[in-house]
């Protein structure tokens, strides 16, 4: 009998199933469209708030995040003001929120102050609260302009907030959170618009109409990055041995079938041959060293 060294397979702790129905991959496909909307909002909101406040205002789009509603509501920094809105004709119930200190600064600035007055939300007069609602409506109006090239989009602030922590049906819903930084006369604060992911299904129908991959290098790069993250299963045949049927039927537990490893093997993805490789050993594990790339 010939002694052979048995080498265990490499640990594959980082390998996971690729679920095409997973929200993670569906979200990635929509982010490019939402990015473009946010960048248009960034430009138009800057001008609108400049005219309203009569002071320089800078809007900067920072990033998108995907969060469960419960996590989003819990991470809102205090003080802040938070309102909900609906979008027609789509079945959307979104949220808009703003840094409380920045908002109080803007209100004071609008009424002729220097913005240094320390305020609290419950200290605001009815007139000031109406101005706050005007801020929200102006922001949502400019946000809607970013959508008009894609779809019909009309925002409406709700009379009261209905999203609550503690509701399991709501808390597990995913929201796309668009985060911005506002700079008013050197006073910076945050501003966020959150959209329910379930309500953005209509965007998948718009992708073919609005996204031209060949003429949009940014979108092309994002799709390329997403594709490159897709796990692939590589296979190769290390050895083959012909045995007579009678010998196969006589094999028992503990018997050893002598084999010889070839000098080179072919590495495949499915039925497509990708590389030729040499069998080697590294850190007591069997490895494949790429020798050449097979042209398709």
């Amino acid at each position: 009998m010939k002694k052979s060294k048995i080498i265990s397979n490499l640990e594959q702790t980082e390998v996971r199933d690729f679920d095409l129905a997973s929200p993670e991959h569906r979200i990635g496909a929509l982010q490019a469209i939402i990015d473009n909307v946010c960048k248009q909002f960034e430009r138009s909101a800057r001008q609108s708030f400049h005219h309203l406040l009569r002071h320089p205002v800078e809007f900067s789009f920072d990033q998108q995040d995907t969060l469960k509603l419960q996590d989003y509501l819990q991470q809102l920094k205090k003080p802040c003001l938070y309102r909900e809105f609906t979008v027609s004709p789509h079945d959307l119930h979104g949220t808009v929120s703003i840094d409380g200190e920045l908002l109080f600064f803007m209100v004071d600035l609008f009424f002729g102050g220097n913005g240094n007055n320390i305020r609290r939300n419950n200290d605001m007069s009815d007139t000031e609260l109406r101005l706050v609602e005007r801020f929200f409506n102006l922001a949502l109006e400019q946000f809607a302009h970013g959508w008009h090239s894609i779809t019909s989009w009309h925002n409406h602030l709700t009379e009261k907030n209905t999203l609550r922590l503690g509701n399991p049906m709501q808390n597990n819903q995913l929201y796309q959170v668009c985060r911005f930084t506002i700079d008013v006369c050197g006073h910076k604060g945050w501003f966020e618009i959150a959209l329910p992911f379930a309500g953005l299904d209509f965007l998948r129908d718009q992708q073919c109409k609005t996204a031209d991959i060949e003429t949009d290098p940014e979108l092309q790069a994002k799709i390329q990055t997403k594709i490159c993250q897709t796990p692939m299963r590589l296979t190769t045949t290390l050895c083959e041995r012909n045995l007579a049927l009678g010998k196969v039927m006589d094999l028992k537990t503990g018997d050893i079938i002598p084999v010889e490893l070839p000098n080179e093997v072919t590495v495949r993805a499915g039925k497509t041959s990708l590389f030729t490789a040499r069998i080697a050993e590294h850190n007591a594990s069997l490895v494949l060293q790429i020798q050449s790339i097979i042209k398709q």
Side-chain angles (χ1 to χ4, degrees):
M1 301 294 286
K2 181 179 179 180
K3 293 184 178 180
S4 300
K5 181 178 180 181
I6 300 176
I7 302 175
S8 62
N9 292 332
L10 292 171
E11 293 292 334
Q12 297 185 0
T13 56
E14 297 301 323
V15 177
R16 62 188 180 91
D17 292 335
F18 186 80
D19 181 5
L20 289 174
S22 168
E24 175 186 346
H25 310 305
R26 294 162 58 202
I27 289 169
L30 302 179
Q31 283 184 335
I33 293 178
I34 300 177
D35 273 353
N36 289 333
V37 170
C38 289
K39 289 175 182 177
Q40 292 184 52
F41 167 76
E42 178 185 73
R43 294 188 291 268
S44 61
R46 178 187 306 146
Q47 297 176 357
S48 298
F49 276 82
H50 186 179
H51 293 156
L52 177 64
L53 296 175
R54 302 179 299 279
H55 290 279
V57 179
E58 290 293 331
F59 272 75
S60 301
F61 174 49
D62 297 327
Q63 65 186 54
Q64 286 188 64
D65 287 328
T66 305
L67 299 171
K68 289 184 179 180
L69 177 63
Q70 177 180 7
D71 297 333
Y72 174 60
L73 295 179
Q74 287 178 337
Q75 62 91 47
L76 282 176
K77 299 176 183 177
K78 303 297 188 293
C80 71
L81 268 79
Y82 150 81
R83 290 291 302 273
E84 296 171 18
F85 64 91
T86 58
V87 178
S88 60
H90 307 291
D91 186 18
L92 276 172
H93 191 113
T95 71
V96 57
S97 54
I98 190 171
D99 183 340
E101 293 182 358
L102 174 66
L103 182 61
F104 305 149
F105 177 88
M106 293 165 61
V107 169
D108 195 49
L109 203 63
F110 180 86
F111 287 109
N114 57 12
N116 294 325
N117 189 16
I118 299 176
R119 306 295 299 274
R120 293 181 178 275
N121 182 27
N122 54 12
D123 292 335
M124 284 189 173
S125 65
D126 290 342
T127 301
E128 290 173 324
L129 289 174
R130 283 196 294 272
L131 177 61
V132 171
E133 185 151 323
R134 184 177 175 185
F135 287 159
F136 279 132
N137 278 319
L138 181 60
L140 290 175
E141 178 184 344
Q142 300 308 314
F143 191 61
H145 287 167
W147 286 99
H148 285 167
S149 62
I150 301 172
T151 183
S152 178
W153 186 285
H154 302 284
N155 309 291
H156 306 279
L157 282 176
T158 60
E159 294 184 2
K160 61 180 182 179
N161 295 335
T162 60
L163 299 177
R164 293 286 184 270
L165 291 173
N167 184 332
M169 292 294 293
Q170 291 181 345
N171 290 344
N172 290 325
Q173 292 181 9
L174 289 177
Y175 272 67
Q176 278 300 102
V177 183
C178 305
R179 302 185 188 273
F180 302 84
T181 296
I182 307 179
D183 187 331
V184 184
C185 299
H187 192 101
K188 291 185 178 182
W190 56 268
F191 176 79
E192 297 173 350
I193 298 177
L195 302 171
F197 176 68
L200 297 174
D201 288 341
F202 72 92
L203 278 183
R204 285 196 291 276
D205 299 330
Q206 299 290 338
Q207 287 177 26
C208 295
K209 301 177 184 178
T210 61
D212 186 345
I213 298 176
E214 293 184 357
T215 59
D216 188 341
E218 183 177 354
L219 177 57
Q220 189 178 41
K222 288 186 176 182
I223 293 176
Q224 181 71 21
T225 300
K226 199 66 182 178
I227 291 175
C228 289
Q229 293 173 351
T230 304
M232 290 190 66
R233 182 182 296 276
L234 301 180
T235 61
T236 190
T237 302
L238 296 185
C239 64
E240 291 182 343
R241 178 65 187 269
N242 292 325
L243 287 178
L245 176 59
K247 290 186 176 181
V248 173
M249 296 177 65
D250 290 338
L251 288 174
K252 302 183 297 297
T253 302
D255 287 352
I256 293 178
I257 302 174
V259 296
E260 292 184 2
L261 297 181
N263 293 328
E264 277 192 349
V265 295
T266 300
V267 181
R268 300 180 299 276
K271 295 182 179 180
T272 303
S273 299
L274 301 179
F275 316 106
T276 61
R278 184 175 65 87
I279 301 171
E281 188 176 345
H282 178 68
N283 292 336
S285 296
L286 207 59
V287 299
L288 296 175
Q289 184 180 45
I290 303 300
Q291 299 297 298
S292 63
I293 298 175
I294 299 175
K295 293 184 180 181
Q296 302 304 313

